[in-house]
Amino acid sequence: MAHRLQPTIHRATSTINSRYAGAVGCRRVFSSPTEADDGDDVPKADPRQLVHTLYNPTIRMSHLGVSKSILPGGLIEKVNEKTGDRTFLEVERAMGHFWMLGDLRKNGGKPIIANESLIPASYAQVFPRLEGLVSLSGKENVNLPDFLCQDAGSRLSSACTLVAISFKQFGFEKLKGWIEPFETAVCHGIGPDSRAGRAKVVQISIIEGSLYKIFSGLFVRSWKSSTPEELHENTLLHFGSEDDTKSFRENIRMHNTLTGYVALVDGLGRVRWMGSGEANDDEVATLIDCARELTPTKSVRPRRSTARTSQSK
């Protein structure tokens, strides 16, 4: 199993960038959903009403910390105790510049709580779209979730991908605890129980900031030189502003970009399981069980139904 080396690019992007605030359709924050200045014809949108439209409801958020309370547009709802007026503030303004650190302290480093079982196909949502990634193998304009399904071919119903996502070096280092046991237990099997060719790992590093985009070629070369060649094909980088990735991050609730995130995606590009932070044994065991459920082998035969058994008697 190839060792995933530690690239240097995340060290260069460890500073939390200031973020643009504003709900979809809003240019500024109002103290109530209907408040507007005279002559302001910009359409107003209450961010609370956008939650069910923009967020994946199958993602389990920790009830501790700030992440669960963040609304679309990176907003926090504040209520004046005296007047009852509601104000929507950008999270940094409401909670302070270092809110992500405080958030991780409160939720134990896990803004997202790992699913305890496979998300049913009937409820699962497609992995959010993100365009313009580059792979270390030289591919440009790679788009998600298309890339996650391209190798499945005729095995769409029995394939899966562990998508490991990081924004900072701290989060990147957390991913190893998920990736290595997954590769060992699921990707590299042999014999009748082998899932080789039907399970893979795709690692995505998102580098936000216009300066880094300008020098993206330099960063890609540096990253490539520190990553084993066999991992180049499925190692993707995205350079752009926070606005470019906002809808992607918000859909699967990656509000806190300090830590790392993992999603198990099926052959049809649907998110069937998700976790965050540092892996523990129980979470890894559940992840592996979910992956095996998505990729049944020849030795796993369907059970005979009770009704059919009764008839045969």
Side-chain angles (χ1 to χ4, degrees):
M1 177 170 50
H3 177 62
R4 294 175 181 269
L5 300 180
Q6 175 178 308
T8 58
I9 190 169
H10 272 312
R11 295 198 193 106
T13 59
S14 60
T15 302
I16 303 175
N17 296 318
S18 60
R19 61 181 2 184
Y20 167 86
V24 174
C26 292
R27 190 179 298 165
R28 64 188 186 85
V29 178
F30 299 95
S31 59
S32 68
T34 58
E35 179 190 347
D37 292 338
D38 293 338
D40 191 343
D41 58 356
V42 178
K44 310 306 181 295
D46 183 344
R48 295 171 298 181
Q49 298 175 353
L50 299 172
V51 168
H52 298 297
T53 303
L54 302 179
Y55 287 174
N56 185 330
T58 65
I59 306 301
R60 301 174 63 215
M61 300 300 294
S62 171
H63 68 280
L64 303 173
V66 179
S67 288
K68 184 178 181 179
S69 302
I70 297 178
L71 297 168
L75 303 177
I76 291 287
E77 181 181 10
K78 290 290 186 178
V79 180
N80 188 307
E81 295 180 358
K82 296 182 179 179
T83 65
D85 291 340
R86 298 177 182 274
T87 304
F88 299 100
L89 302 173
E90 32 182 319
V91 62
E92 285 191 6
R93 180 180 174 188
M95 308 304 299
H97 185 69
F98 299 103
W99 72 268
M100 292 187 190
L101 291 172
D103 183 47
L104 294 183
R105 280 197 294 265
K106 290 180 179 179
N107 56 40
K110 292 183 176 293
I112 291 177
I113 303 300
N115 298 95
E116 296 178 350
S117 60
L118 199 65
I119 297 170
S122 58
Y123 293 102
Q125 295 194 0
V126 175
F127 191 82
R129 190 154 190 83
L130 185 63
E131 300 179 342
L133 295 93
V134 296
S135 74
L136 295 187
S137 64
K139 289 184 180 179
E140 297 183 355
N141 296 319
V142 176
N143 298 326
L144 302 175
D146 310 42
F147 180 83
L148 306 179
C149 309
Q150 66 177 8
D151 296 329
S154 61
R155 305 184 301 271
L156 287 175
S157 61
S158 61
C160 70
T161 302
L162 180 65
V163 185
I165 308 167
S166 62
F167 300 80
K168 306 287 191 296
Q169 182 66 27
F170 179 79
F172 178 85
E173 293 170 353
K174 301 295 182 185
L175 300 179
K176 181 180 178 181
W178 299 99
I179 293 173
E180 291 192 349
F182 182 87
E183 288 180 326
T184 300
V186 183
C187 299
H188 302 317
I190 58 175
D193 289 333
S194 174
R195 291 166 171 84
R198 294 190 293 135
K200 64 182 179 181
V201 174
V202 172
Q203 191 158 355
I204 301 171
S205 293
I206 298 176
I207 301 93
E208 296 175 328
S210 56
L211 180 62
Y212 305 116
K213 186 173 184 178
I214 295 174
F215 296 100
S216 60
L218 177 63
F219 287 129
V220 170
R221 288 193 294 273
S222 174
W223 201 301
K224 186 175 181 178
S225 66
S226 62
T227 303
E229 186 175 356
E230 59 268 31
L231 302 179
H232 288 183
E233 180 72 19
N234 290 334
T235 300
L236 305 178
L237 310 180
H238 184 276
F239 296 90
S241 67
E242 292 188 5
D243 284 348
D244 294 336
T245 61
K246 180 179 290 185
S247 61
F248 172 76
R249 286 184 283 107
E250 290 190 338
N251 177 259
I252 47 179
R253 309 302 302 272
M254 298 186 297
H255 307 294
N256 192 322
T257 56
L258 283 184
T259 194
Y261 298 88
V262 285
L264 185 65
V265 178
D266 66 17
L268 296 176
R270 300 172 298 190
V271 178
R272 304 298 299 275
W273 179 96
M274 191 159 180
S276 67
E278 189 169 355
N280 62 47
D281 293 342
D282 290 340
E283 291 172 329
V284 170
T286 300
L287 167 63
I288 292 172
D289 286 344
C290 289
R292 287 173 173 167
E293 188 174 343
L294 289 175
T295 56
T297 62
K298 293 181 180 180
S299 63
V300 179
R301 301 184 183 277
R303 298 178 180 177
R304 297 169 62 187
S305 66
T306 304
R308 186 174 179 179
T309 303
S310 301
Q311 291 175 2
S312 64
K313 291 181 180 180

